[in-house]
Amino acid sequence: MFRRRALYTLLCLLATVLVGTVVVLSSISYYLSIDYPAYITEAEVDHVLNDTQHTLPERIPRIIHQTWKSETLPVRWANISQECRDMMPDYEYKLWTDASAREFIAQHYSWFLDAFDGYKYPIQRADAIRYFVLYHYGGIYIDLDIGCLRPLDSLLVHPVILPRTIPVGVSNDLMFSEKGHPFMAQTIHSLMSFDYNWVLNYPTVMFSTGPMFLSAQYGAWTSNHPTTPEQPGGEVRILPKSLYGKNAKPDEAPHSFFSHFYGSSWHADDAAFIGFLGKWGKGLMWVGLVVLVGGLIRLAFAPRQKSRLPRIAGYDVLMPRWTQKNGRWYLDLGWFALPASGITTTPPSPITLPSESVSDEEDVQLLPIYDSRSTSPTPSDISLGVDGVASTHGAPGGSMLDRVRRAGNHVMSSVFGPEDSEPPSTPSRSRRRRLRSRGVLFFLPAFLSPETQDEVPAIPFSPHARTSSYSHVHASHLSATAYPPEKQRYAEDLERAGLLPVADTTAHGRAGSSSSDAESSSSTAC
């Protein structure tokens, strides 16, 4: 029973995890989904490049923004950044350090300074400053680990551009925006409402200032700003993998604008675990599904073990048993077992046990158990409410005729409704069948009960509660010591008052006395 319940619990937990994961991922994927018209196509890029008359004005300023903690860039990132500037010499370049970023926030957006200083991780401040400078100045933000393969002039005709990332949403390592665009205004004013600590580094950064935060802003923007015939792709356009180049094979992005070197300098130890889930998460989901289905099949086809113990008044009764395993005795209490003290192979119990064990595990019942298979239960037994005792059938489900009748009644009640006029044939049995367990009764041996020195005379007992031999105690078996100690001092007073039962003789004596009384009365009559 314990193993079956443990299996039920584990399967329920596994099902909860699987269903919860599917629901969460499905909801996120649906909310952060990107419509196909929002993607920038290569045909649009070619159209801008072939526009010699400049009919499409540039909406994004030619400014490149980058961030680092100081003015001195690492050699690796400095070379990549310099290549972009050399490719586009007419673009203005702004490097935002930790000091200049805080000074900018304090001067232009003082309402955000406390939240800016309160960020736990430096990468959060680096994320926040890029949104503010794009809203304030406009331009292009590029991470230091992103290189340039083509000039970006053909992309400046769109108001806002965000790159698509995997598995869902958009990324914030590359962003285009015109000055003062409403989408960037929404983004900077939502930073404080998303400032939560998610315990670990990776989720805290991702959901407070990182890509997941920006993806949520994009989802909210598209929900409140539907597309129009003039702008089928909307105000905020998405850079596809073929033009973005990240997480793409060489043949998948032959015309990409950017090259990626995957720095990820802000990642902590938890990022490796997140990466493992991203790579093998789908396989783990399938394995969990197989385990869940296998466990359900096993539970469905496993034979149900009938309880060897009765139920009294709706309570499951668990009797202690001595169980021998590997040459040592344990006291089995149903849900757990207690080892016997010492290393002896005989249990510390007055019960005589067999000297030879047939198997490695042997159960010896410590207390007598009522036999629920009795063919003639007494009315007192039925009044106790012992489940299953009142039934005289050997099978728990009754005969085949009973099963057919119950099935027919169930079908008729389902079609025409329950019939209140006709009571069930065995109401007490049907009531007990529907009764659920109220709890568990443990019967433990009297380990610590003190031994009484005064012997109390045994009172005759009859199994039938309504017989006179049980309800009326013979006075010959009673004495002053037969009463509890607190009542012994009143025994003599009760006896003098005539409140104690008069001693009776045996049945034969009563018959003899009756005959003698009859003779005396007859003689008197004469």
Side-chain angles (χ1 to χ4, degrees), residues 115-181:
F116 186 82
D117 293 336
Y119 280 130
K120 183 178 180 180
Y121 303 105
I123 186 61
Q124 292 177 289
R125 288 185 283 273
D127 285 338
I129 191 60
R130 65 188 70 176
Y131 304 133
F132 281 96
V133 297
L134 286 179
Y135 173 74
H136 190 82
Y137 295 105
I140 308 167
Y141 173 81
I142 306 176
D143 264 358
L144 291 176
D145 58 350
I146 297 179
C148 299
L149 299 178
R150 299 169 56 184
L152 307 179
D153 300 352
S154 58
L155 299 176
L156 302 181
V157 298
H158 304 285
V160 178
I161 300 176
L162 302 175
R164 184 187 182 277
T165 188
I166 58 173
V168 292
V170 295
S171 180
N172 68 341
D173 58 355
L174 174 70
M175 293 180 289
F176 296 69
S177 178
E178 67 178 2
K179 180 180 179 179
H181 194 273

Side-chain angles (χ1 to χ4, degrees), residues 39-207:
Y39 288 101
I40 300 175
T41 61
E42 296 184 10
E44 292 182 80
V45 175
D46 296 337
H47 177 69
V48 175
L49 292 176
N50 298 328
D51 184 15
T52 57
Q53 298 181 358
H54 302 285
T55 57
L56 297 176
E58 294 183 357
R59 302 182 61 175
I60 298 175
R62 298 193 175 196
I63 305 174
I64 296 178
H65 302 275
Q66 290 187 318
T67 60
W68 188 246
K69 56 186 177 181
S70 63
E71 294 285 349
T72 305
L73 297 178
V75 177
R76 180 184 179 184
W77 311 131
N79 295 333
I80 297 174
S81 177
Q82 189 61 43
E83 290 178 359
C84 289
R85 283 179 281 172
D86 294 341
M87 183 179 296
M88 296 170 287
D90 55 336
Y91 281 59
E92 182 183 357
Y93 180 76
K94 290 181 177 293
L95 179 63
W96 299 93
T97 63
D98 293 348
S100 61
R102 189 183 186 282
E103 182 181 357
F104 171 80
I105 294 294
Q107 181 179 358
H108 299 283
Y109 303 94
S110 57
W111 55 270
F112 188 73
L113 184 60
D114 292 340
F116 186 82
D117 293 336
Y119 280 130
K120 183 178 180 180
Y121 303 105
I123 186 61
Q124 292 177 289
R125 288 185 283 273
D127 285 338
I129 191 60
R130 65 188 70 176
Y131 304 133
F132 281 96
V133 297
L134 286 179
Y135 173 74
H136 190 82
Y137 295 105
I140 308 167
Y141 173 81
I142 306 176
D143 264 358
L144 291 176
D145 58 350
I146 297 179
C148 299
L149 299 178
R150 299 169 56 184
L152 307 179
D153 300 352
S154 58
L155 299 176
L156 302 181
V157 298
H158 304 285
V160 178
I161 300 176
L162 302 175
R164 184 187 182 277
T165 188
I166 58 173
V168 292
V170 295
S171 180
N172 68 341
D173 58 355
L174 174 70
M175 293 180 289
F176 296 69
S177 178
E178 67 178 2
K179 180 180 179 179
H181 194 273
F183 174 76
M184 301 309 300
Q186 170 192 307
T187 302
I188 64 176
H189 287 92
S190 300
L191 283 169
M192 298 182 66
S193 59
F194 278 75
D195 185 14
Y196 292 101
N197 186 2
W198 296 83
V199 181
L200 299 178
N201 180 320
Y202 193 91
T204 300
V205 174
M206 291 288 287
F207 287 96

Side-chain angles (χ1 to χ4, degrees), residues 297-370:
I297 293 176
R298 179 175 180 179
L299 289 176
F301 291 96
R304 293 181 176 270
Q305 297 180 356
K306 296 181 180 180
S307 177
R308 295 178 296 176
L309 302 178
R311 294 178 62 194
I312 299 179
Y315 290 91
D316 294 332
V317 180
L318 294 180
M319 299 290 186
R321 288 179 163 83
W322 284 110
T323 303
Q324 187 179 19
K325 296 180 180 180
N326 299 327
R328 186 171 182 178
W329 289 95
Y330 294 84
L331 183 60
D332 186 7
L333 300 180
W335 289 346
F336 57 92
L338 299 177
S341 60
I343 59 176
T344 177
T345 57
T346 59
S349 173
I351 299 177
T352 304
L353 299 176
S355 58
E356 296 182 358
S357 178
V358 180
S359 60
D360 294 338
E361 181 175 347
E362 181 180 356
D363 291 346
V364 179
Q365 189 169 311
L366 194 62
L367 295 178
I369 300 178
Y370 179 78

